[in-house]
Amino acid sequence: MSKTKIVGQSVHRKDAARKVTGRILHVGNIEMPGLLQVAVLRSPYPHARIIGIQKSRAEAMEGVVLVLTGAEIAAMPDVDPYFGPAFKDQPILAIDRVLHVGDPVVAVVAVDRRRAEDALELIEVDYEPLPVVLDVLEAAKSGSPLVHQEFKPAGVFADLDHMEAGEKSNVCYHFKLRTGDVEAAFREADRIFEDTFTSPPAQHMPMEPHVTLVYLDEDEKVNVWTATQSPSFVRTQLSTTLGLPMNRIRVRVPYLGGGYGAKLYGKLEPLVALLALETRRPVRYALSREEEFQTITKHGAVARLKTAVKDGVITGRRCEVFFDTGAYADIGPRIVHKSGYTSAGPYRIPNVRIDSFCVYTNKPPAGAFRGFGVPQVIWAYESQMDIISRELDIDPVQFRMHHALEEGEPFATGTPVHSFGLKESLEQAAEAIEWSGPRPQNNATKVRGKGIASGVKAVLTPSISGAVVMMNSDGSVNVLSSTVEMGQGSDTVLAQIAAEELGVCFDQVHLVQPDTDVTPYDTITAGSRSTYHMGNAVRMASMKIKAQLFGVAARALEANLEDLVARDGRIFVSGSQESGMSMRDVFLAKFGSLGTTIIGEAIFEPRAIPTDPETGRSEKCTEYWFPSASAAEVEVDLETGQVKVVKFLSVGDTGTAINPRHCHQQLLGAAITQLGMTLFEEMVFEEGQLLNGSLLDYQIPSVKDLPEHFESILVEVPHETGPFGAKGVGETGTLTVSPAIANAIEDATGVRIRDLPITPEKILRGLAEKDPKPGRAEVPQ
Amino acid sequence: MKPAKFEYKDPHSVEETLDLLKQYGWDAKILAGGQSLVPMLNFRLASPEILVDINRLQDLDYVEEKDGKLAIGALTRQTTLEFSETVKSRCGLLADATELIGHPQTRNRGTVGGSIVHADPTAELTAIARALDAEMVIRSKDGERTDSAEDFFVSVMTTNLEPEEMLVEVRFPIAPPGSGWAFEEFVLRHGDFAVVGVTAAVTLNSDEVCTDARLAAIGVDETAFRDPALEEIIKGEKITDSVLKELGSQLSEKVEPFDDLHASAAQRKHLVGVLAQRALQKAANMAVENLRGEN
Ligand SMILES: Cc1cc2nc3c(=O)[nH]c(=O)nc-3n(C[C@H](O)[C@H](O)[C@H](O)COP(=O)(O)OP(=O)(O)OC[C@H]3O[C@@H](n4cnc5c(N)ncnc54)[C@H](O)[C@@H]3O)c2cc1C
């Protein structure tokens, strides 16, 4: 392949100037005459029956337009009151029971937000508290109180076809993987390691909270402006919810103020659409930050690992992972499946047994979160890799290198791995942190240590991306895609791909923002899939345009098709650029008229072979893998337990980097997210009540909490079917941060932390247990 | 969330403000920098009927030396403490510790009076006021009174101000020669409210013997904690490791902190001892340097 011109360049973001100057459209900024606002009364109980609702005082309040309950929605003839991407388990508003604190119960629509909130105080709801189950391990046991009485599969996504209707358990999905004979491995082992690692529920924290605006146009069509990562899904969901044909619903997405998985599938849209239909006025609902905490969370998880070692080599591993999906499954089952099959690690282990469970509890629902459950399992297996190698006195990097899968070797599912830069990533991380260099210096109260971790995630497969590319007679191009620009840079990267393929300049390519009346179907903007999937669709669509352009040019230039090149807005015979034609000339030759367009359209839909329900095996469980490695150097204050990450490296195999700067930004940004998860973030519950449900108490890192030395390294192992060799990179940087830091802390202090987040108090407790000094102030047990 | 409905008043003078406070009493609330009050309004933890915005009272925004004290107007922004040459040269502890109060953005708005009256149990200014025996100048329609920091702070977010009173000035003593100070705090993230903090100010004589010591801690009690008996431990002594250790462990013993999301009571007890030693050591080192500089 000849060298690319625009692909591989760190061109500037298309949206950057507009974003920093505040000239970008967000749903929250849309103005509309007569726009009404919403406030929602939420459950104060983690589980209760609704006995009665008195709302007449609220309805009588001046400025209040509508007060709506779940029972009223359930009585609407064409409306399906339940929604959800895996199971239809979530009511638009609670109907007879509330299942978590913060469950929406009554919606008030008023002329402004303050009055809507005032009206909430006039509504009385009588509840009868019901038995509650909060702990994920308790919930998974038979005989514990049931959150749902039955499961109704949603039937929307092909990869979730195996969701079964069921009842009488809180486990709504169980993934199994059986490879080899793990019991035999334990019988024959020299050493067996058993550890449990936990991750708490946490928040995505996009700067822009969820917000949805719905209005009916002059044609009574349901127009939805919403902050979503999945416009196509939202349209499908609303079509089911409202009983309307898909072309009566139009979903548009302007730029998102961050998503991180929080804004996937249906969230506020079913409710706001109903409110607009009922009031026949434009209605906007914008969540407060506090409501975000009650709306969607990252899965808390408990991972138990049992690993057999013989002659210094891992021979068997058993993983049991319990994901707390909260009161509604959301996309939990997909997370349990996709992260479940990777939970033994990217290593050569002949005998593996995995059981991964999606478990309902009476907590706010958990859904997709950058990394899709994989950081939770890597936290476990990469912490244990260090525990084992330290115990066996083998260098942790060497231990990983020895077990790391290589090109063509089968993953635990049986799928051979390709384009798998795991060893390269590990090597680069080790080199950058000077792994074999001298130990860092300590002083009296502060000690330093280094840690490393590696891991891998697989892309969601199957999934679908459609694109339409339209070239105008002046060579300018519109790309119609439902990929949502949420800060990750998709507009820029997709424009680079189209420009490269069509031989026009980057600035000539414009991305049409998602609009289901205009832009074709795309599964989701998530899971590190857009550059690869939408990138391929855009490239294929561009090729179709190019074929037409070349056909015209070949005739006009009396040249062979295969000798033609498109570059810098011209089509010419390779080697003689001056003799070619401008795009304008080609269009004139074809149509005899200016202002004309050529359209290319493509759907990219890689397939998978479903994993076997009993063994979890598949010859192709995923389209591609993205390995990651992290290296950290920490300083721990032995008197306060405070951890300072002084140096951090985020390394990822991105495939060919379409835009290297973007790839670096993704690796660093993702590492920051996970730095928060590692050191600070945890949603703390007491009897089902969230104790830190606002930014006053819930702590995320700020730019001042970042490591002094903070860098990223790209490992570019091209993928043979990726657009120009690219893979995905959005989640890579989240994968291995937590264990790298925990491993560095053990290196520094000898203390092993198994429960996130790693707080100073846990470290002090660990130090006291390790070395109980008389006179040291008592630390809590 | 959005605040409940309130009526907004923006008086142009202290007198006018005091009239409003007298008229509305408990129903009124003063709005200064808004860094604490506005979030409380938004969360509807406070829903005053009348909001009295004092930001027009520019004559309460000053720093000056008066009668041997450093007098600071209640509406003085926290940022001013950080950069004012007068504050730096007269009460260096205030200048040095201010960067621990939130972030530049909150300090640009947040006022000295607001922080003191809000009386958050981990507000740095409350610890400094207690340690240095600051005086509060308070006015109402009935006149002016002056109160000690000790009496002023009553409990968590509670002072002895009456609803018709306002704080107009805070007076801090001027640092004597041979003194040094420090504010050590434990925060999880940059700019957070302290989990535990300790401020220390010491004065040494030419033999480097401690003639005066002041120590106050936040995050271990309902208001800033100070115990003169502990200060006696180092008065008349050279500041050595063993003296510091003794003081640290006695302080840890004495405080009766609380558990919360950010630290258990036991962790707070432990931290306060560690931070007290660090703060005193730093203060002593600084005093020694100052002594040498002065000679
Ligand atoms: C992100 C963030 C971080 C912060 N971190 C810290 C921190 O680390 N340390 C810290 O100490 N604080 C911190 N704060 C709080 C901040 O310092 C506030 O500015 C301060 O607590 C209140 O001052 P204010 O002028 O903003 O008062 P306001 O919020 O306007 O008022 C606070 C209270 O004082 C009353 N009041 C104000 N002025 C007077 C007066 N002259 N007389 C009588 N009553 C009065 C008001 O009625 C109200 O009850 C933080 C705040 C934020 C938002």
Side-chain angles (χ1 to χ4, degrees), chain A residues 237-282:
Chain A
Q237 179 68 67
L238 289 180
S239 162
T240 316
T241 301
L242 306 174
L244 288 175
M246 287 165 72
N247 67 354
R248 302 296 300 150
I249 297 159
R250 180 179 189 186
V251 178
R252 275 175 286 181
V253 185
Y255 295 90
L256 242 61
Y260 314 110
K263 294 173 179 164
L264 282 166
Y265 319 110
K267 288 286 178 291
L268 310 183
E269 296 87 356
L271 174 64
V272 184
L274 272 183
L275 297 175
L277 280 164
E278 288 293 299
T279 57
R280 313 204 70 74
R281 301 236 330 239

Side-chain angles (χ1 to χ4, degrees), chain A residues 55 59 66-77 79 93-95 106:
Chain A
K55 59 170 186 157
E59 284 171 323
L66 175 70
V67 182
L68 190 70
T69 67
E72 288 167 327
I73 295 175
M76 292 177 181
V79 172
L93 292 171
I95 297 170
V106 186

Side-chain angles (χ1 to χ4, degrees), chain A residues 114 117-118 121 290 637 639-640 642 680 684 691-692 697 699-700 704-705 760-761 764 777 780, chain B residues 1-5 43-44 186-190 192 261-264 266-267 270-271 274 278:
Chain A
R114 181 184 61 75
E117 282 178 18
D118 286 347
E121 291 170 16
E290 293 65 47
D637 185 327
E639 289 182 331
T640 65
Q642 189 131 44
F680 308 120
V684 182
L691 300 184
N692 56 346
D697 289 314
Q699 303 187 309
I700 60 167
K704 297 215 167 157
D705 300 304
E761 203 156 347
L764 280 189
Chain B
M1 279 173 56
K2 296 277 180 276
K5 198 171 166 183
F43 281 123
R44 298 197 175 190
F186 179 83
V187 288
L188 292 169
R189 297 172 312 163
H190 187 97
D192 271 340
L261 284 170
H262 305 300
S264 66
Q267 167 83 341
H270 169 75
L271 287 173
V274 170
R278 290 186 181 178

Side-chain angles (χ1 to χ4, degrees), chain B residues 134-190:
Chain B
E135 292 164 1
M136 313 298 167
V137 182
I138 295 156
R139 281 187 61 185
S140 71
K141 270 322 260 184
D142 303 333
E144 185 176 296
R145 69 181 173 99
T146 307
D147 207 346
S148 68
E150 183 172 8
D151 292 337
F152 184 76
F153 298 114
V154 176
S155 76
V156 178
M157 294 188 183
T158 314
T159 67
N160 71 11
L161 273 189
E162 294 295 330
E164 66 274 10
E165 288 181 323
M166 78 181 285
L167 179 69
V168 290
E169 186 178 286
V170 188
R171 291 181 192 149
F172 291 90
I174 286 167
S179 63
W181 52 83
F183 205 123
E184 285 287 298
E185 71 178 35
F186 179 83
V187 288
L188 292 169
R189 297 172 312 163
H190 187 97

Side-chain angles (χ1 to χ4, degrees), chain A residues 392-416:
Chain A
L392 300 180
D393 207 14
I394 304 175
D395 177 82
V397 173
Q398 288 315 315
F399 191 60
R400 288 178 173 86
M401 290 295 279
H402 181 78
H403 290 89
L405 291 176
E406 304 207 32
E407 181 70 24
E409 280 191 274
F411 201 77
T413 54
T415 304

Side-chain angles (χ1 to χ4, degrees), chain A residues 174-178 182 186 195 302-307 316-322 339-345 349 351-357 377 380-381 384 412:
Chain A
H174 174 188
F175 169 76
K176 294 180 216 165
L177 186 141
R178 310 283 183 261
V182 84
F186 290 130
D195 295 282
V302 177
R304 294 187 190 134
L305 257 56
K306 182 174 173 184
T307 302
R317 179 168 272 174
R318 199 201 140 117
C319 314
E320 278 181 300
V321 194
F322 298 85
S339 71
Y341 72 66
T342 69
S343 55
I349 305 178
N351 306 292
V352 176
R353 181 189 165 103
I354 296 171
D355 292 278
S356 178
F357 304 93
V377 301
Y381 70 68
Q384 206 193 37

